[in-house]
């Protein structure tokens, strides 16, 4: 059980809002540490922020060193604390609010490697140093006389005394010039109407100067999209986004009617210029006196898909590594590997995969994805585009044993992810990867529906070369298209955990996406 060092003074001295009290009660009455039912019935940002597993995305992929000791400053209600307990040998969480600290103790009751302090961290006399110190810009106190940026620098400077000689500071902070804020969304500063009330905000250039001023000799930037609070993708200087991120990053706005224009337009302009780093909404930063030699250049996260389907896909220098974020996901990850083996048995080309230590590993492929090649083909020659789609259709037909029922072809095993997004093309050959789902007795037409739908959603300008309606006609999809849309909606509703994450999708809608 978590060891707690709570102050003797009563929580009556604390100013506690109704929402914070409700969050505390939710934690106290959910001993299994599963808040899905709570979130399904809630709409408040703070409840989602403190209880959603999506909060862990900022670090649930991070490769903490073996036997790591972690100091988490400003742990709040413990949104990432339990994740840290699963990843590190020992965790010390410091939270100045006695009520929040008690909530962490209850929330993480099953972990015996956690110590919780209810105190201002600067007043504590730490008896040991740590491998990692972790905090975010949200540690700032709105009632302090110091501006949030000065508070950020103070904690950055103080962390040096809490770190071991080779220790690493990990901090997340909002960018003052983030695209979200340049578009008119209120910045989270003292006295603002932003849902986060008060938070340190700093530009990339100023943050680089702050790191040096704090005395750290080495640092590494990560760029979480859409921000560090609900990260979906994380880029680095070694790998920055190319083209639009609209199909992969869901930008959200808790406050409606606050944007002048969609921030994706700014992203696309900056990507075209070659550098998006200055307008990222957030930064994640590693600082150390020792050399930093991270292996990961990019991370794609699906924490929002729940424990069975939550994965981190990490790009290294020469490898792609996919790992389950929870114990429940390991079985499904293994099934993904088995699906690839079945495609190979059917005589189809796949990217070579290895399943090792509960990780799915494949080489980093530099060939283009089929989905990115299709618009170029359509622009060059519509007949080539159609020919390539026909060849993909042939691959799908050969992927499994099949039979005909009432004029329709059904596959014994339908690998519904055989779409251009999950296929590389090289010298006219298709190489499939990332085949998570297999539907028994699946209509071939349903897979072709997914091929067309997601290709035209990714590149809507295909319409000017060959209309979607014509492609529907070619693969005899007109009669089934609407029913397949309904089926796909149900699939996405379940896979994307809409019951639990409904508020998140409402906040996406606030941006008119």
């Amino acid at each position: 059980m978590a060891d707690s060092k709570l102050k003797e003074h009563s929580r009556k001295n604390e100013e506690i809002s109704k929402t914070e009290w409700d969050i505390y009660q939710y934690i106290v009455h959910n001993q299994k540490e599963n808040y899905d039912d709570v979130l399904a019935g809630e709409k408040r940002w703070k409840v989602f922020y403190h209880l959603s597993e999506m909060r862990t995305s900022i670090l649930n992929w991070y490769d903490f060193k073996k036997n790591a000791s972690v100091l988490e400053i400003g742990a709040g209600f413990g949104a990432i604390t339990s994740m840290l307990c699963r990843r590190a040998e020992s965790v010390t969480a410091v939270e100045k609010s006695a009520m929040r600290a008690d909530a962490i103790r209850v929330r993480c009751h099953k972990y015996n490697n956690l110590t919780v302090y209810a105190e201002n961290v600067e007043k504590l006399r730490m008896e040991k140093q740590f491998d990692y110190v972790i905090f975010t810009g949200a540690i700032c106190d709105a009632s302090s006389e110091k501006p949030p940026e000065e508070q950020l620098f103070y904690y950055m400077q103080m962390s040096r005394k809490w770190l071991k000689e080779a220790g690493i500071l990990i901090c997340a902070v909002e960018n003052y010039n983030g695209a979200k804020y340049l578009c008119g969304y209120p910045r989270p500063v003292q006295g603002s109407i932003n849902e986060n009330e008060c938070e340190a905000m700093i530009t990339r250039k100023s943050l680089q100067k702050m790191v040096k001023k704090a005395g750290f000799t080495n640092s590494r930037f990560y760029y979480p999209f859409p921000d560090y609070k609900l990260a979906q993708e994380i880029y680095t200087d070694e790998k920055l986004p190319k083209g639009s991120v609209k199909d992969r990053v869901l930008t959200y706005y808790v406050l409606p009617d606050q944007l002048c224009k969609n921030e994706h337009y700014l992203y696309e302009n900056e990507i075209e210029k070659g550098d998006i780093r200055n307008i990222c909404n957030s930064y994640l930063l590693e600082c150390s006196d020792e050399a930093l030699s991270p292996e990961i250049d990019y991370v794609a996260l699906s924490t929002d898909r729940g424990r069975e389907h939550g994965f981190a896909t990490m790009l290294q220098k020469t490898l792609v590594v996919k790992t389950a974020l929870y114990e429940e996901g390991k079985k499904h990850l293994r099934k993904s590997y088995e699906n690839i083996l079945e495609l190979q048995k059917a005589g189809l080309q796949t990217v070579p995969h290895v399943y090792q230590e509960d990780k799915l590993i494949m080489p980093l492929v530099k060939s283009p994805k089929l989905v990115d090649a299709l618009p170029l083909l359509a622009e060059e020659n519509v007949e080539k585009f159609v020919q390539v789609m026909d060849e993909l259709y042939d691959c799908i037909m050969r992927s499994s044993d099949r039979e005909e029922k009432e004029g329709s072809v059904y596959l014994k095993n339908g690998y519904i992810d055989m779409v251009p997004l999950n296929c590389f093309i090289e010298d006219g050959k298709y190489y499939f990867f990332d085949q998570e789902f297999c539907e028994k007795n699946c209509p071939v037409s349903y897979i072709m529906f997914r091929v067309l739908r997601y290709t035209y959603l990714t590149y809507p300008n295909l319409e000017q070369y060959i209309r979607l309606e014509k492609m529907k006609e070619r693969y005899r999809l007109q009669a089934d298209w609407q029913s397949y849309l309904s089926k796909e909606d149900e699939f996405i509703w379940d896979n994307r955990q809409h019951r639990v994450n409904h508020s998140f999708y409402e906040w996406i809608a606030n941006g008119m996406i």
Side-chain angles (χ1 to χ4, degrees), residues 239-266:
K239 181 172 176 57
L240 294 170
K242 296 178 181 179
S244 174
V245 297
K246 187 163 51 178
D247 60 318
R248 304 183 300 276
V249 174
L250 301 174
T251 51
Y252 68 97
Y253 313 100
V254 177
L255 300 175
D257 305 320
Q258 292 291 325
L259 292 177
C260 306
K261 57 183 176 179
N262 192 297
E263 67 184 84
H264 276 291
Y265 292 123
L266 283 184

Side-chain angles (χ1 to χ4, degrees), residues 84 148 155 245 278 282 303 313 416 418 422 454 496:
L84 293 173
Y155 284 112
V245 297
N278 291 328
S282 303
T303 315
T313 302
I416 65 173
M418 290 182 70
N422 292 343
Y454 292 111
R496 291 284 184 175

Side-chain angles (χ1 to χ4, degrees), residues 436-449:
E436 280 192 42
F437 298 97
C438 175
E439 181 178 312
K440 299 294 182 181
N441 300 313
C442 177
V444 170
S445 55
Y446 175 56
I447 303 177
M448 280 308 296
F449 155 80

Side-chain angles (χ1 to χ4, degrees), residues 424-443:
F424 292 106
I425 183 168
E426 182 177 334
D427 297 328
K429 294 182 179 179
Y430 301 156
Y431 296 85
F432 296 96
F433 66 97
D434 201 17
Q435 298 297 307
E436 280 192 42
F437 298 97
C438 175
E439 181 178 312
K440 299 294 182 181
N441 300 313
C442 177

